[in-house]
């Protein structure tokens, strides 16, 4: 009798896949940007620290008198343009398990940034730029290992303007942490993002979104080697918004780039001019080439471009008008994040539509790929139990 009880208990536990046991419910992927958490670095997102199973240690740092509580939990809240808020995050306020057709899917993975800094710049006339013989920067092509997170969602109903059938949001930060530990690799207090991009951007008027447009007009095709895979490419171009708002604090630093919340930058202290200089603010220069591929399980991205860049300012960093020429290449390989995605993406032929992409609500069989293995193990255990019980 005891053997039968042990056997049945083991069978019951084994019948529940680990993917189901570990999967979070609710909206762990959509942290509201107006959370009570604050960031001394000015991050627009908030760490999703409300989960009861959050085992990370909470640290508190201070900078200039400002205190910031940090769980190091990966924050997804700033991957979407603000005009998506009314369609997926707002309905969840008070209803964390609510579902929306615009929830989208998340990918997490590893990125690599290669860059070359040339000083003084070699493509501007003397009247266009301030150069300095005192500045020193790393010589030759440099490389930086990063972690990254991406969100892909269907085009929102409003506002008018965007044409792409999907919107891509991406960010990456320098890190030596393993990809398997990415969920607790992030620090909102340190404002870690060096790269942030959305293929659709918002125009604000009076503090609210007035309209939107595609910063990258994507050409989408079906891959020749996989009917359920799409290829996409385009060029970052905001010339239609040449007079749009840049950073109200430092407008000159973004003259040749996109909106203030779209950025690619390099860490501070790479260059010096007698004293160390701040972050190199590359922005997203017009002409940046963006391409990639996507299946229902993987996302690959490639960015490349070149521009003249200035330096950020800080309390302990030298202020300078000097600029440098930067060439950059970024690659990202990400895997589908089933634990934080309430939808699955159907690219290529699986979309069954002309846009070559669609989204549907995730189910257990769609998001937990290891289910068949469990069924095999359960069958074997049942057979064994019949012999011994």
């Amino acid at each position: 009798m005891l053997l039968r009880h042990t056997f049945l208990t083991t069978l019951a536990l084994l019948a529940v896949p680990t993917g189901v046991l570990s999967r979070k419910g609710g909206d762990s992927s959509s942290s509201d940007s107006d959370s009570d958490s604050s960031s001394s670095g000015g991050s627009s997102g908030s760490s999703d620290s409300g989960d009861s199973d959050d085992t990370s240690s909470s640290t508190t740092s201070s900078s200039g008198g400002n205190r910031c509580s940090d769980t190091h939990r990966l924050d997804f809240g700033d991957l979407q343009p603000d005009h998506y808020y009314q369609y997926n995050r707002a309905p969840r306020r008070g209803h964390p398990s609510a579902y929306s057709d615009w929830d989208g899917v998340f990918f997490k993975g590893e990125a690599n940034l290669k860059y070359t800094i040339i000083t003084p710049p070699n493509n501007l006339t003397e009247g266009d730029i301030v150069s300095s013989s005192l500045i020193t920067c790393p010589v030759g092509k440099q490389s930086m290992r990063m972690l990254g997170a991406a969100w892909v969602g269907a085009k929102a109903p409003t506002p008018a303007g965007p044409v792409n059938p999907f919107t891509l949001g991406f960010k990456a930060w320098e890190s030596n942490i393993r990809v398997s530990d990415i969920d607790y690799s992030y620090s909102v207090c340190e404002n870690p993002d060096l790269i942030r991009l959305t293929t659709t951007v918002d125009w604000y008027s009076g503090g609210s979104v007035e309209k939107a447009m595609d910063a990258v007009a994507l050409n989408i095709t079906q891959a020749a080697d996989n009917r359920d895979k799409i290829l996409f490419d385009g060029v970052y171009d905001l010339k239609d918004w040449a007079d749009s708002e840049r950073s109200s604090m430092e407008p000159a630093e973004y003259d040749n780039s996109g909106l203030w919340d779209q950025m690619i930058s390099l860490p501070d202290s790479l260059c010096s001019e007698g004293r160390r200089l701040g972050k190199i603010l590359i922005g997203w220069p017009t002409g940046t080439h963006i391409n990639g591929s996507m299946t229902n399980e993987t996302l690959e991205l490639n960015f490349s471009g070149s521009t003249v860049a200035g330096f950020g300012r800080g309390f302990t960093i030298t202020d300078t008008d000097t600029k440098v020429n930067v060439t950059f290449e970024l690659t990202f390989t990400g895997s589908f994040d089933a634990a934080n995605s309430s939808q699955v993406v159907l690219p290529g032929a699986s979309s069954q539509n002309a846009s070559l992409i669609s989204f549907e609500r995730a189910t257990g069989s769609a998001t937990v790929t290891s289910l068949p293995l469990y069924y095999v193990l359960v069958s074997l255990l049942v057979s064994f139990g019949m012999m011994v019980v």
Side-chain angles (χ1 to χ4, degrees):
M1 188 66 177
L2 179 60
L3 179 59
R4 175 177 295 180
H5 181 271
T6 302
F7 163 71
L8 292 176
T9 301
T10 304
L11 177 61
L13 289 174
L14 185 58
V16 182
T18 56
V20 173
L21 288 172
S22 63
R23 179 168 179 169
K24 298 181 184 297
D27 183 34
S28 60
S29 63
S30 300
S31 303
D32 290 336
S33 59
D34 57 353
S35 167
D36 291 338
S37 298
S38 62
S39 169
S40 62
S43 174
S44 62
S46 61
S47 178
D48 183 8
S49 57
D51 291 338
S52 59
D53 63 344
D54 187 350
T55 58
S56 66
S57 59
S58 179
T59 60
T60 302
S61 63
S62 60
S63 176
N66 295 325
R67 299 178 64 83
C68 177
S69 180
D70 197 347
T71 65
H72 297 277
R73 182 74 177 271
L74 177 57
D75 173 29
F76 293 99
D78 53 3
L79 289 174
Q80 304 173 18
D82 282 348
H83 69 265
Y84 276 85
Y85 179 84
Q86 63 177 310
Y87 295 106
N88 52 28
R89 282 181 285 174
R92 282 188 167 80
R93 298 186 67 85
H95 305 280
S97 61
Y99 170 79
S100 166
D101 289 336
W102 295 274
D103 283 345
V105 296
F106 293 91
F107 296 87
K108 299 181 296 190
E110 184 174 339
N112 184 267
L113 176 63
K114 296 180 180 179
Y115 60 92
T116 302
I117 304 171
I118 301 175
T119 178
N122 60 4
N123 63 348
L124 289 183
T125 62
E126 185 175 348
D128 292 326
I129 197 166
V130 177
S131 61
S132 169
S133 60
L134 299 177
I135 191 169
T136 59
C137 299
V139 177
K141 181 172 286 189
Q142 308 294 312
S143 181
M144 181 192 307
R145 193 263 190 183
M146 312 180 83
L147 291 176
W151 169 83
V152 181
K155 182 171 74 73
T158 60
V163 176
N164 292 335
F166 69 87
T167 297
L168 166 70
F170 174 75
K171 67 178 180 180
W173 57 99
E174 186 177 11
S175 179
N176 291 321
I177 295 176
R178 297 176 302 179
V179 175
S180 58
D181 296 326
I182 190 174
D183 287 339
Y184 291 96
S185 67
Y186 199 78
S187 173
V188 294
C189 294
E190 296 174 3
N191 192 22
D193 295 342
L194 293 177
I195 297 173
R196 191 181 300 157
L197 168 80
T198 55
T199 55
T200 299
V201 296
D202 294 324
W203 171 289
Y204 297 88
S205 178
S208 60
V209 177
E210 180 178 292
K211 56 184 178 180
M213 72 168 288
D214 293 323
V216 185
L218 295 173
N219 176 42
I220 304 171
T221 58
Q222 182 174 296
D225 60 340
N226 185 344
R227 296 179 66 252
D228 296 326
K229 176 181 179 179
I230 59 172
L231 309 176
F232 53 89
D233 68 273
V235 174
Y236 195 95
D237 185 0
L238 285 179
K239 63 178 181 293
D240 291 340
W241 281 10
D243 297 324
S244 61
E245 294 183 31
R246 303 299 200 263
S247 169
S248 60
M249 298 295 292
E250 304 292 348
E253 294 176 353
Y254 296 85
D255 282 346
N256 193 37
S257 66
L259 302 181
W260 67 271
D261 59 347
Q262 305 287 296
M263 64 181 183
I264 177 170
S265 56
L266 297 176
D268 59 27
S269 302
L270 284 179
C271 298
S272 63
E273 196 175 35
R275 296 176 59 190
R276 67 190 183 100
L277 297 176
K279 282 185 177 181
I280 301 177
L281 304 176
I282 303 171
W284 287 109
T286 295
T288 298
H289 187 217
I290 296 173
N291 66 78
S293 65
M294 181 166 46
T295 69
N296 65 338
E297 292 289 340
T298 61
L299 174 68
E300 294 185 350
L301 299 173
N302 301 277
F303 307 149
S304 60
S306 180
T307 191
V308 172
F311 292 87
R313 293 169 170 81
F315 293 110
T316 61
I317 295 176
T318 303
D319 187 5
T320 182
D321 291 323
T322 300
K323 295 187 179 181
V324 292
N325 191 300
V326 181
T327 299
F328 60 90
E329 303 172 24
L330 179 131
T331 59
F332 169 76
T333 301
S335 299
F336 175 59
D337 182 6
N340 287 301
S341 300
S342 62
Q343 289 190 308
V344 292
V345 59
L346 303 175
S350 60
S351 68
Q352 298 183 349
N353 63 45
S355 67
L356 295 178
I357 189 169
S358 63
F359 299 82
E360 67 177 29
R361 188 166 190 165
T363 63
S365 59
T367 58
V368 183
T369 58
S370 57
L371 279 175
L373 174 61
Y374 279 90
Y375 292 147
V376 171
L377 292 176
V378 169
S379 298
L380 291 174
L381 185 57
V382 169
S383 299
F384 175 74
M386 293 299 185
M387 293 185 292
V388 300
V389 176

